[in-house]
Amino acid sequence: MATYQEFIQQNEDRDGVRCSWNLWPSSRLEATRLVVPVSCLYTPLKERPDLPPVQYEPVLCSRANCKAVLNPLCQVDFRAKIWACNFCFQRNSRGPPTPLIFLYVVDTCLEEEDLQALKESLQMSLSLLPPNALVGLITFGRMIQVHELSCEGIAKSFVFRGTKELTPKQIQEMLGLMKPATSGQFLQPVEAVDMNLTDLLGELQRDPWPVPQGKRPLRSTGIALSIAIGLLEGTFPNTGARVMLFTGGPPTQGPGMVVGDELKTPIRSWHDIQKDNARHLKKATKYYEALANRAAVNGHSVDIYACALDQTGLLEIKCLSNLTGGHIVMGDSFNTSLFKQTFQRVFSKDYNGEFRMAFGGTLEVKTSRELKVSGAIGPCVSLNTKGPCVSDNEMGVGGTCQWKICSLTPATTLALYFEVVNQHNAPVPQGGRGAIQFVTQYQHSNTQRRIRVTTIARNWADAQSQIQHIESSFDQEASAVLMARLGVFKAESEEGPDVLRWLDRQLIRLCQKFGQFSKDDPNSFRLSESLSLYPQFMFHLRRSPFLQVFNNSPDESSYYRHHFVRQDLTQSLIMIQPILYSYSFYGPPEPVLLDSSSILPDRILLMDTFFQLVIYHGETIAQWRKAGYQEMAEYENFKQLLQAPLDDAQEILQTRFPMPRYIDTEHGGSQARFLLSKVNPSQTHNNLYAWGQESGAPILTDDVSLQVFMDHLKKLAVSSSA
């Protein structure tokens, strides 16, 4: 018989699903007693080369809350190519497929070198787009220019003030979009305007308005985005499209401004926000949320590429990407390989030579009658679709069984949370299975409409007599990520310490439920294999940048959280508990504990945190490297040792999106902090003498170690007063 580990792996490979529990408790009360909710991670577009699509598109009713499929009971007028839905009587006609749409929104308040690098990246991207894709260009600084792409040789644009808020209707009237077939002048097929647009990008100048000493440039990001979204709403509603915002600083004027133009007033910090001292925060966030919801309704996604040394206002603007499935890429400058390569990867192709991006998706969840869906956490918005399988008990984005995901990649992963319906006195009968169906409809990058259907089932188990079986069915990796997503979701609206307390409480309850121990005896506490790693995941999660804002700006926290709630299980686990490899003369590289005891003088460490790749040279290795031993013929093996982690890092750098920041450091180096802040501080300056000198590197911190954390956990779990 297959072990649960094999069962879990087979199901993930086939369905792209990982469940917190692989046996489900047969009543609501028993489900709440399990602490970790019945939930799953689902990757709708998981790559399956062995799963060919059916070769024609499904024909669906166009009414948003119906979407029934064409069937023999419908009346069809073959001459006019119209059919009437037999469920809601909507008359439907089939429009031509729409091409992909890319609208570049470019900040021109950049330094010359940055603007030049960005222009080259944008020109490069034109060659990666399908020839029939529509492309448009909006540039902004103090003013906003919407460029016409239809005029041969004459650069013509519509200019808007950056301070005046406009309604969608006003924008569409000013751009002349009320007349039929006028989108053409702003959005053109790449093959028709390739040369013209390449020249136009090449001639873009920095924003001409002078910036006085001690001032920030006036940057009208808010109105530029409003015009971009208004333009797409007026021309291609309910069609897959990408707005791509490239910005080099915060919005400083007009609606959506994040900071004034006085440099002596710094952009808001966490401290300002906690003291309610961020005067633009609420208004700006509300403004961008309204834009995000308008974009989401129409299936348009917004990417944010923000490159600057200071904050750019991601905290306020992030909702545009978070709610529409758009990318957020954050870097120091557009003139870095980190930005250039990450941007190129947006257009990467799959094994069929097609873009790894899908547009205008909706996910519907259907459940067997013993289950209801509580909510989803991921890059989606609610479609407010009520139905018999919708729970009143909301987790994440709830109150619906359908969500809109405007942009998806094969890695996009949603967390879904469920509730068992049956009451304690009428549990689900044994021997049956509960079922969940995920129906994802989307526009493939070749413009076809597709539906991907995944159906899963798990057995019901009686939590009284089969608690051991339920325990064995626990997927601690999936559960850690599912609970972490709930924590990050809470952290967006609740105080940090409250979220940590909530996580701690859940962990203690789980240990009380499944730990084996004698009352009030912490030394007797044991967890079975299926739960043994879960507490350390929670330990590292508590210290992670997703929940700890110390040492991170609000923009950085927003960036980290953005990626955490959309990545698949493997990447999410690396984010929670980074992976550490050790390289030595004594054998091949090996994974080692993420612990200060692994930091030894004669080792090189490679740490992958998802966002950074850190190569750390121990004290002796660093001295040898400084002395140049690797250049000497007789130290060829030392040269190879130095090269090995570089080669392994290169492999990760080649494929990951976004490209991680690469950090090469050594014992005593200023960037060693990236490693020291992540490892478990089993040796600190407080307990060094207990350890002796040779067993690792002491860390200057007042954080508790995993050992102390576990001691506290055991004490609380076994306490009879708990």
Side-chain angles (χ1 to χ4, degrees):
M1 190 192 139
T3 63
Y4 267 112
Q5 247 1 78
E6 291 162 349
F7 173 82
I8 287 167
Q9 198 52 59
Q10 284 163 1
N11 279 277
E12 182 177 20
D13 294 343
R14 188 187 63 216
D15 301 329
V17 175
R18 289 278 291 257
C19 293
S20 53
W21 303 94
N22 290 290
L23 280 176
W24 290 340
S26 53
S27 76
R28 182 182 301 186
L29 181 64
E30 292 301 348
T32 53
R33 283 178 178 161
L34 293 183
V35 186
V36 174
V38 173
S39 50
C40 69
L41 292 163
Y42 176 52
T43 307
L45 301 194
K46 184 179 174 64
E47 287 188 333
R48 281 269 308 272
D50 60 331
L51 193 72
V54 178
Q55 282 313 317
Y56 62 89
E57 298 182 33
V59 181
L60 305 179
C61 175
S62 59
R63 179 166 291 178
N65 57 1
C66 174
K67 290 212 163 101
V69 180
L70 175 62
N71 62 75
L73 303 177
C74 299
Q75 290 187 329
V76 181
D77 180 338
F78 289 98
R79 221 180 48 235
K81 294 193 172 151
I82 290 172
W83 61 279
C85 173
N86 61 317
F87 292 99
C88 72
F89 307 111
Q90 169 86 357
R91 286 166 66 75
N92 298 284
S93 63
R94 200 76 188 274
T98 42
L100 304 184
I101 301 160
F102 297 88
L103 178 52
Y104 296 153
V105 181
V106 181
D107 173 4
T108 55
C109 300
L110 302 175
E111 295 299 326
E112 197 56 63
E113 184 189 314
D114 252 29
L115 184 59
Q116 189 52 43
L118 176 56
K119 289 181 342 189
E120 286 165 16
S121 283
L122 294 175
Q123 287 168 323
M124 172 278 303
S125 71
L126 294 179
S127 66
L128 301 176
L129 297 178
N132 66 342
L134 300 184
V135 63
L137 177 66
I138 294 174
T139 56
F140 69 96
R142 186 173 180 170
M143 303 287 190
I144 296 97
Q145 289 180 278
V146 184
H147 297 265
E148 272 198 6
L149 302 180
S150 54
C151 334
E152 288 295 323
I154 305 164
K156 187 177 164 196
S157 61
F158 285 60
V159 180
F160 292 80
R161 283 221 311 272
T163 49
K164 188 170 188 302
E165 192 158 355
L166 299 164
T167 64
K169 193 162 183 264
Q170 285 172 316
I171 291 167
Q172 287 153 19
E173 276 171 355
M174 288 170 166
L175 292 174
L177 299 180
M178 297 308 198
K179 303 193 269 311
T182 43
S183 73
Q185 62 208 53
F186 302 115
L187 295 163
Q188 284 277 6
V190 173
E191 55 196 349
V193 294
D194 191 7
M195 298 291 288
N196 279 356
L197 186 50
T198 301
D199 293 346
L200 179 58
L201 286 167
E203 287 156 15
L204 279 186
Q205 301 292 315
R206 288 180 67 195
D207 190 52
W209 295 89
V211 180
Q213 197 69 40
K215 299 272 193 184
R216 293 186 178 90
L218 290 171
R219 197 181 260 108
S220 314
T221 320
I223 294 290
L225 284 165
S226 166
I227 291 168
I229 287 163
L231 168 61
L232 289 174
E233 270 174 340
T235 50
F236 290 99
N238 302 311
T239 303
R242 277 201 114 86
V243 174
M244 304 176 106
L245 170 71
F246 303 88
T247 182
T252 50
Q253 74 160 3
M257 73 185 274
V258 166
V259 66
D261 65 346
E262 291 281 351
L263 274 171
K264 64 172 192 278
T265 314
I267 189 167
R268 40 98 197 105
S269 64
W270 278 122
H271 185 70
D272 296 326
I273 293 166
Q274 278 149 7
K275 294 270 175 289
D276 206 14
N277 203 9
R279 54 182 285 231
H280 301 290
L281 176 67
K282 287 195 175 73
K283 197 173 172 191
T285 306
K286 191 173 169 201
Y287 175 78
Y288 292 114
E289 278 176 355
L291 286 182
N293 282 307
R294 274 171 49 201
V297 162
N298 283 293
H300 302 150
S301 74
V302 182
D303 293 348
I304 303 169
Y305 304 90
C307 288
L309 289 167
D310 196 4
Q311 296 187 75
T312 56
L314 271 187
L315 174 69
E316 292 80 359
I317 305 173
K318 66 179 179 201
C319 53
L320 280 159
S321 299
N322 289 355
L323 299 182
T324 65
H327 300 304
I328 295 184
V329 173
M330 186 170 144
D332 293 342
S333 154
F334 289 110
N335 196 20
T336 56
S337 62
L338 187 138
F339 166 72
K340 291 174 184 174
Q341 293 192 32
T342 299
F343 183 51
Q344 212 163 337
R345 273 172 216 171
V346 172
F347 305 99
S348 71
K349 304 261 175 52
D350 66 11
Y351 51 90
N352 284 326
E354 294 177 313
F355 278 152
R356 285 192 160 96
M357 56 170 92
F359 294 85
T362 59
L363 170 67
E364 180 177 3
V365 175
K366 300 171 188 287
T367 59
S368 53
R369 62 174 182 227
E370 314 89 351
L371 285 171
K372 287 190 175 186
V373 60
S374 297
I377 297 178
C380 59
V381 290
S382 166
L383 279 171
N384 294 316
T385 311
K386 303 290 184 239
C389 68
V390 177
S391 164
D392 295 334
N393 174 24
E394 289 188 25
M395 286 180 168
V397 180
T400 181
C401 57
Q402 290 187 19
W403 295 264
K404 187 104 178 193
I405 317 166
C406 301
S407 173
L408 299 111
T409 72
T412 304
T413 300
L414 282 90
L416 293 135
Y417 300 86
F418 300 92
E419 174 180 70
V420 178
V421 173
N422 292 49
Q423 293 299 340
H424 195 54
N425 54 8
V428 182
Q430 293 306 288
R433 307 176 85 189
I436 300 171
Q437 186 173 69
F438 306 97
V439 182
T440 311
Q441 307 192 20
Y442 62 97
Q443 180 186 331
H444 188 270
S445 64
N446 66 11
T447 74
Q448 265 186 353
R449 290 294 307 172
R450 287 191 180 175
I451 298 184
R452 179 107 169 225
V453 182
T454 306
T455 312
I456 65 166
R458 296 290 185 271
N459 291 338
W460 296 106
D462 171 40
Q464 303 295 316
S465 59
Q466 295 180 291
I467 193 70
Q468 246 83 48
H469 291 304
I470 292 177
E471 184 177 343
S472 309
S473 83
F474 185 64
D475 181 339
Q476 52 192 334
E477 294 179 341
S479 299
V481 175
L482 286 156
M483 292 301 275
R485 282 212 192 183
L486 277 172
V488 169
F489 186 83
K490 284 174 178 293
E492 288 291 299
S493 56
E494 296 177 27
E495 293 293 321
D498 294 346
V499 177
L500 292 178
R501 271 195 293 273
W502 173 81
L503 269 177
D504 289 347
R505 226 175 18 249
Q506 305 307 310
L507 176 59
I508 294 162
R509 284 180 53 212
L510 190 74
C511 289
Q512 286 169 335
K513 174 82 178 168
F514 291 105
Q516 270 127 31
F517 54 85
S518 315
K519 273 266 183 263
D520 295 321
D521 177 8
N523 294 327
S524 66
F525 183 85
R526 297 283 176 277
L527 276 176
S528 69
E529 202 183 334
S530 60
L531 289 109
S532 57
L533 296 173
Y534 187 81
Q536 81 183 39
F537 290 141
M538 292 298 116
F539 168 76
H540 288 291
L541 175 66
R542 293 175 95 265
R543 305 179 75 210
S544 73
F546 313 113
L547 299 180
Q548 295 290 352
V549 299
F550 176 72
N551 254 348
N552 287 316
S553 68
D555 278 14
E556 286 170 319
S557 299
S558 302
Y559 175 65
Y560 294 141
R561 288 172 180 174
H562 162 89
H563 284 286
F564 184 69
V565 298
R566 59 174 48 203
Q567 290 291 345
D568 63 21
L569 177 122
T570 308
Q571 307 301 328
S572 302
L573 276 180
I574 294 173
M575 292 187 208
I576 293 174
Q577 182 172 321
I579 298 176
L580 195 60
Y581 295 97
S582 178
Y583 297 75
S584 71
F585 292 115
Y586 316 115
E590 51 176 2
V592 290
L593 290 175
L594 187 65
D595 193 290
S596 55
S597 61
S598 300
I599 304 173
L600 298 167
D602 59 348
R603 299 281 199 281
I604 303 175
L605 296 175
L606 168 61
M607 180 177 70
D608 179 4
T609 74
F610 183 84
F611 299 103
Q612 296 108 7
L613 280 179
V614 183
I615 295 182
Y616 173 93
H617 300 83
E619 190 169 6
T620 312
I621 302 265
Q623 288 163 355
W624 291 349
R625 182 167 72 153
K626 215 177 207 152
Y629 284 17
Q630 65 277 19
E631 311 301 337
M632 302 176 197
E634 64 268 36
Y635 291 105
E636 177 61 28
N637 61 345
F638 180 56
K639 185 179 180 178
Q640 286 171 358
L641 178 64
L642 288 179
Q643 190 56 42
L646 297 178
D647 294 344
D648 291 348
Q650 209 43 48
E651 225 166 279
I652 300 170
L653 287 167
Q654 293 296 308
T655 51
R656 182 163 299 157
F657 182 92
M659 188 172 157
R661 186 171 162 192
Y662 177 70
I663 296 158
D664 186 313
T665 187
E666 59 185 37
H667 173 82
S670 67
Q671 293 194 301
R673 66 181 191 277
F674 285 102
L675 173 72
L676 301 180
S677 64
K678 294 285 182 200
V679 294
N680 165 38
S682 60
Q683 300 123 291
T684 70
H685 58 300
N686 296 326
N687 66 7
L688 182 60
Y689 298 104
W691 281 86
Q693 289 293 324
E694 286 310 305
S695 53
I699 289 176
L700 295 167
T701 180
D702 290 325
D703 278 4
V704 302
S705 67
L706 178 59
Q707 188 57 49
V708 174
F709 177 79
M710 287 304 296
D711 289 347
H712 279 289
L713 176 60
K714 290 172 184 175
K715 227 175 266 173
L716 289 161
V718 304
S719 157
S720 42
S721 59

